[in-house]
């Protein structure tokens, strides 16, 4: 099963029309657009599709992924993949890809809009005008000029928020455990430990993913350390600000207002926050601009077309080994690893225990992990229906095979060794073509191209017998390699009866 073989795609959320158009015209893909499918409808239809494209509304659960028996890809036209069970997708060998930059500016602009709205209660004032009032006293605001905004999460969106709020001459400080302080200093954000952030801020905005470590990042304890009247904004994910703690802080006056685009439950059935007069709430609109939707729709479609055309793998969040299979430098090594794993599987009566992958040569210094995945895919091909470079290493663990790698540097040959069950195979590339050099102590006089259908036997070549059997079976000898122990023949098509040749095996790579 090739992961690039994507013929039918279902779009189950509302996306820009450009997405389907690019898939159809550039990828030759059949596209069904069904925004607003119910979970039950999705479950009953997904089996007909190779790809599914969603925004945040469709919940791509384990049930959906399992029902999608031919599903190879879930595309998220947007940033967060928390509506996709990525772990289950990986187990099922399904690529999950997103378009993380397409809506960053829109989300940042909305965040800034909420900061401004909170400073002057703009939506509340507009609402009171609509109600026929002229209430100038009630809506006394405060300037942003000279105030401090704390930005938690200084990735794509956090950075854009900082740059924009600096134009109001706000002081921008923040915290991010990954982005170095020197990097954020370049866009004007001074970092502090979280403990020192709270007391400095007039506004705090969160721009992290929802992780166990960010759930309840702003909680009762944090609010208690903040300035009285601090205003908070969440345009990231519901739950990063503890909703119950926020309500308590609003009721006590510790929090002076909140701008919320996202909620733990969407739409929120619990209405206390939404109805609070100091809360400005929105129905998850961060990415809802024409520009962001066009970008995300076009990007996800282009990424899928690139995959279908075998050009590149862009935006995949769960397939590091597969990513290597698209790079011209590493692609042939991946092919070699798979072919050697497949050969080892054919030579061994059963595979369990340890398989050792040994690389040598400077260019393979960091290749251990993706070559282990490639060897595993070859080892398990035929035994596992959906084995591929997305789930190779996961499957090995569950099958009781331990594939580990070691590397020898130095100026010697660049080669790959795969050993298991007492058999050692040595391979390398010849003009970028995967080749076998040795089986145990049998060293081939010239490299054996690992491609097409091969037959392999111990001993020298019974050439006459071989050509006779092949011609009777309608096949032809294409190459013959001999060594001090084994012989390998490349043939034009598989042969059903090899018994006339004595003990030998046939392998199709
Ligand atoms: N409201 C919307 O419609 C909308 C639109 C786009 C993105 N988002 C959400 O916005 C969030 C940010 O998106 P992004 O593209 O900027 O992501 P990003 O990956 O570029 O940045 C996230 C940053 O958070 C940091 N981080 C992780 N744990 C942290 C912690 N404990 N404390 C502080 N920082 C931490 C990371 O190091 C990273 O730099 C995501 O949750 C995304 O899903 C929402
Ligand atoms: O993570 C995202 O990209 C945002 O939350 C946007 O979600 P949406 O595409 O459903 O608007």
């Amino acid at each position: 099963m090739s992961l690039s073989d994507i013929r039918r795609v279902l779009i189950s959320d509302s996306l820009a029309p450009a997405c389907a158009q690019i898939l159809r015209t550039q990828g030759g893909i059949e596209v069904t657009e069904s925004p607003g499918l119910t979970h039950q409808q999705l479950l009953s239809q997904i089996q007909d599709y190779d790809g599914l494209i969603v925004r945040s509304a469709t919940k791509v659960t384990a049930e959906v992924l399992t029902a999608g028996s031919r599903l190879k890809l879930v595309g998220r036209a947007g940033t967060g993949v928390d509506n996709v069970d990525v772990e289950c997708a990986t187990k099922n060998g399904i690529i999950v890809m997103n378009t993380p930059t397409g809506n960053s500016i829109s989300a940042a602009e909305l965040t800034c809009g909420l900061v401004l709205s909170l400073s002057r209660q703009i939506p509340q004032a507009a609402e009171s005008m609509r109600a026929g009032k002229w209430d100038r006293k009630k809506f006394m605001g405060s300037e942003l000029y000279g105030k401090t905004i704390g930005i938690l999460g200084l990735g794509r969106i956090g950075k854009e928020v900082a740059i924009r709020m600096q134009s109001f001459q706000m002081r921008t400080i923040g915290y991010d455990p990954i982005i170095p302080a020197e990097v954020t200093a370049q866009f004007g954000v001074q970092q502090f430990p979280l403990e020192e952030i709270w007391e400095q801020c007039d506004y705090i905005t969160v721009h992290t993913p929802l992780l166990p470590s960010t759930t309840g990042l702003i909680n009762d304890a944090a609010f208690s350390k903040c300035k009285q009247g601090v205003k908070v904004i969440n345009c990231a994910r519901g739950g990063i600000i503890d909703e119950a703690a926020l309500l308590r802080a609003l009721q006590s006056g510790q929090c002076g207002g909140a701008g919320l685009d996202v909620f733990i439950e969407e739409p929120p059935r619990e209405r206390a926050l939404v109805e609070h007069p100091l809360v400005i709430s929105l129905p998850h609109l961060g990415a809802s601009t024409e520009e962001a939707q066009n970008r995300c729709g076009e990007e996800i479609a282009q990424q899928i077309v690139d995959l279908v055309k075998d050009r590149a793998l862009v935006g995949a969040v769960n397939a590091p080994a597969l990513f290597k299979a698209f790079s011209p430098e590493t692609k042939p090594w991946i092919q070699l690893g798979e072919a050697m794993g497949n050969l080892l599987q054919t030579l061994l009566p059963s595979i369990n225990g340890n398989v050792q992958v040994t690389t040598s040569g400077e260019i393979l210094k960091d290749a251990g992990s993706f070559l282990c995945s490639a060897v595993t895919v070859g080892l398990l091909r035929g035994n596992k229906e959906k084995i591929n470079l997305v789930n190779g290493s996961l499957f090995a663990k569950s099958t009781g095979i331990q594939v580990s790698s070691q590397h020898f540097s130095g100026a010697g040959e660049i080669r790959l060794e795969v050993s298991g069950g007492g058999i050692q195979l040595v391979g390398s590339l010849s003009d970028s073509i995967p080749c076998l050099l040795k089986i145990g102590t049998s060293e081939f006089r010239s490299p054996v191209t690992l491609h097409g259908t091969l037959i392999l036997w111990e001993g020298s070549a019974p050439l006459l017998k071989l050509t006779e059997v092949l011609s009777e079976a309608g096949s032809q000898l294409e190459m013959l390699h001999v060594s001090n122990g084994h012989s390998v023949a490349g043939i034009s098509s598989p042969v059903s009866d090899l018994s006339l040749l004595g003990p030998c095996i046939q392998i199709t790579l």
Side-chain angles (χ1 to χ4, degrees), residues 136-158:
R136 285 166 47 94
K137 268 201 191 123
K138 186 175 174 194
F139 297 112
M140 178 62 82
S142 58
E143 287 182 348
L144 296 178
Y145 173 80
K147 302 290 190 309
T148 297
I149 182 164
I151 303 169
L152 308 184
L154 293 158
R156 288 173 290 258
I157 298 172

Short mmCIF file of all heavy atoms in Angstrom, two decimals, residues 136-158:
data_model
loop_
_atom_site.label_atom_id
_atom_site.label_comp_id
_atom_site.label_asym_id
_atom_site.label_seq_id
_atom_site.Cartn_x
_atom_site.Cartn_y
_atom_site.Cartn_z
N ARG A 136 -22.06 57.28 28.98
CA ARG A 136 -20.65 57.67 28.85
C ARG A 136 -19.86 57.36 30.13
O ARG A 136 -18.66 57.12 30.08
CB ARG A 136 -20.54 59.15 28.49
CG ARG A 136 -20.89 59.37 27.04
CD ARG A 136 -21.11 60.82 26.70
NE ARG A 136 -20.12 61.73 27.21
CZ ARG A 136 -19.04 62.15 26.52
NH1 ARG A 136 -18.82 61.71 25.32
NH2 ARG A 136 -18.21 63.01 27.07
N LYS A 137 -20.52 57.34 31.27
CA LYS A 137 -19.81 57.11 32.54
C LYS A 137 -19.41 55.65 32.71
O LYS A 137 -18.31 55.35 33.14
CB LYS A 137 -20.71 57.53 33.70
CG LYS A 137 -20.51 58.94 34.11
CD LYS A 137 -21.00 59.16 35.53
CE LYS A 137 -21.04 60.65 35.80
NZ LYS A 137 -22.36 61.09 36.21
N LYS A 138 -20.34 54.76 32.35
CA LYS A 138 -20.14 53.32 32.60
C LYS A 138 -18.93 52.77 31.87
O LYS A 138 -18.27 51.84 32.34
CB LYS A 138 -21.41 52.57 32.17
CG LYS A 138 -21.37 51.10 32.53
CD LYS A 138 -22.68 50.42 32.19
CE LYS A 138 -22.57 48.92 32.43
NZ LYS A 138 -23.67 48.22 31.83
N PHE A 139 -18.65 53.37 30.71
CA PHE A 139 -17.61 52.77 29.89
C PHE A 139 -16.29 53.55 29.93
O PHE A 139 -15.62 53.71 28.92
CB PHE A 139 -18.13 52.57 28.45
CG PHE A 139 -19.29 51.62 28.41
CD1 PHE A 139 -20.58 52.05 28.08
CD2 PHE A 139 -19.11 50.29 28.74
CE1 PHE A 139 -21.64 51.17 28.06
CE2 PHE A 139 -20.17 49.39 28.73
CZ PHE A 139 -21.45 49.83 28.40
N MET A 140 -15.92 53.99 31.08
CA MET A 140 -14.61 54.62 31.26
C MET A 140 -13.55 53.53 31.06
O MET A 140 -13.63 52.47 31.68
CB MET A 140 -14.52 55.19 32.68
CG MET A 140 -13.19 55.82 33.00
SD MET A 140 -12.85 57.23 31.93
CE MET A 140 -13.78 58.50 32.78
N GLY A 141 -12.58 53.80 30.18
CA GLY A 141 -11.57 52.76 29.91
C GLY A 141 -10.21 53.14 30.44
O GLY A 141 -10.07 53.99 31.32
N SER A 142 -9.17 52.47 29.91
CA SER A 142 -7.79 52.84 30.25
C SER A 142 -6.92 52.66 29.02
O SER A 142 -7.22 51.81 28.16
CB SER A 142 -7.27 51.98 31.40
OG SER A 142 -7.33 50.63 31.03
N GLU A 143 -5.86 53.47 28.92
CA GLU A 143 -4.98 53.40 27.74
C GLU A 143 -4.11 52.15 27.77
O GLU A 143 -3.78 51.64 28.85
CB GLU A 143 -4.07 54.64 27.71
CG GLU A 143 -4.80 55.90 27.34
CD GLU A 143 -3.87 57.11 27.26
OE1 GLU A 143 -2.71 57.00 27.72
OE2 GLU A 143 -4.32 58.15 26.76
N LEU A 144 -3.69 51.72 26.59
CA LEU A 144 -2.71 50.63 26.52
C LEU A 144 -1.29 51.18 26.66
O LEU A 144 -0.37 50.47 27.08
CB LEU A 144 -2.84 49.89 25.17
CG LEU A 144 -4.17 49.17 24.94
CD1 LEU A 144 -4.19 48.54 23.54
CD2 LEU A 144 -4.41 48.10 25.99
N TYR A 145 -1.15 52.44 26.28
CA TYR A 145 0.15 53.13 26.32
C TYR A 145 0.83 52.95 27.69
O TYR A 145 0.21 53.23 28.73
CB TYR A 145 -0.08 54.62 26.02
CG TYR A 145 1.14 55.49 26.18
CD1 TYR A 145 2.11 55.54 25.18
CD2 TYR A 145 1.31 56.26 27.32
CE1 TYR A 145 3.22 56.34 25.32
CE2 TYR A 145 2.42 57.08 27.48
CZ TYR A 145 3.38 57.10 26.47
OH TYR A 145 4.49 57.89 26.61
N GLY A 146 2.05 52.41 27.66
CA GLY A 146 2.82 52.27 28.90
C GLY A 146 2.43 51.06 29.75
O GLY A 146 3.06 50.80 30.78
N LYS A 147 1.42 50.30 29.34
CA LYS A 147 1.02 49.12 30.13
C LYS A 147 1.87 47.92 29.72
O LYS A 147 2.53 47.92 28.67
CB LYS A 147 -0.47 48.80 29.90
CG LYS A 147 -1.41 49.94 30.25
CD LYS A 147 -1.46 50.17 31.75
CE LYS A 147 -2.57 51.13 32.18
NZ LYS A 147 -2.64 52.41 31.49
N THR A 148 1.82 46.88 30.54
CA THR A 148 2.62 45.68 30.27
C THR A 148 1.70 44.52 29.87
O THR A 148 0.71 44.27 30.55
CB THR A 148 3.42 45.29 31.54
OG1 THR A 148 4.32 46.36 31.82
CG2 THR A 148 4.21 44.00 31.34
N ILE A 149 2.08 43.86 28.77
CA ILE A 149 1.35 42.65 28.39
C ILE A 149 2.30 41.45 28.50
O ILE A 149 3.43 41.50 28.01
CB ILE A 149 0.72 42.77 26.96
CG1 ILE A 149 -0.07 41.48 26.63
CG2 ILE A 149 1.75 43.04 25.86
CD1 ILE A 149 -1.03 41.64 25.44
N GLY A 150 1.83 40.42 29.17
CA GLY A 150 2.61 39.19 29.32
C GLY A 150 2.13 38.18 28.28
O GLY A 150 0.92 37.92 28.18
N ILE A 151 3.05 37.65 27.50
CA ILE A 151 2.68 36.72 26.42
C ILE A 151 3.24 35.34 26.78
O ILE A 151 4.47 35.16 26.83
CB ILE A 151 3.24 37.22 25.06
CG1 ILE A 151 2.72 38.64 24.80
CG2 ILE A 151 2.85 36.28 23.93
CD1 ILE A 151 3.39 39.35 23.63
N LEU A 152 2.36 34.40 27.05
CA LEU A 152 2.79 33.06 27.43
C LEU A 152 2.72 32.18 26.18
O LEU A 152 1.65 31.92 25.66
CB LEU A 152 1.91 32.50 28.55
CG LEU A 152 1.76 33.42 29.77
CD1 LEU A 152 0.95 32.72 30.87
CD2 LEU A 152 3.12 33.85 30.31
N GLY A 153 3.90 31.78 25.68
CA GLY A 153 3.97 31.07 24.40
C GLY A 153 4.41 32.07 23.35
O GLY A 153 3.62 32.94 22.95
N LEU A 154 5.68 31.97 22.95
CA LEU A 154 6.23 32.99 22.03
C LEU A 154 6.59 32.38 20.69
O LEU A 154 7.63 32.68 20.09
CB LEU A 154 7.44 33.67 22.69
CG LEU A 154 7.05 34.51 23.91
CD1 LEU A 154 8.23 34.74 24.84
CD2 LEU A 154 6.45 35.84 23.46
N GLY A 155 5.71 31.48 20.21
CA GLY A 155 5.90 30.87 18.89
C GLY A 155 5.35 31.80 17.82
O GLY A 155 5.45 33.02 17.92
N ARG A 156 4.76 31.19 16.80
CA ARG A 156 4.30 31.98 15.63
C ARG A 156 3.32 33.10 16.03
O ARG A 156 3.52 34.26 15.68
CB ARG A 156 3.61 31.04 14.62
CG ARG A 156 4.55 30.14 13.88
CD ARG A 156 3.78 29.15 13.05
NE ARG A 156 3.11 28.18 13.90
CZ ARG A 156 3.56 26.94 14.10
NH1 ARG A 156 4.64 26.53 13.52
NH2 ARG A 156 2.90 26.11 14.90
N ILE A 157 2.27 32.76 16.79
CA ILE A 157 1.24 33.77 17.08
C ILE A 157 1.69 34.72 18.18
O ILE A 157 1.53 35.95 18.07
CB ILE A 157 -0.10 33.07 17.44
CG1 ILE A 157 -0.56 32.24 16.24
CG2 ILE A 157 -1.17 34.10 17.83
CD1 ILE A 157 -1.75 31.35 16.50
N GLY A 158 2.30 34.18 19.23
CA GLY A 158 2.80 35.02 20.33
C GLY A 158 3.71 36.13 19.82
O GLY A 158 3.59 37.30 20.22
#
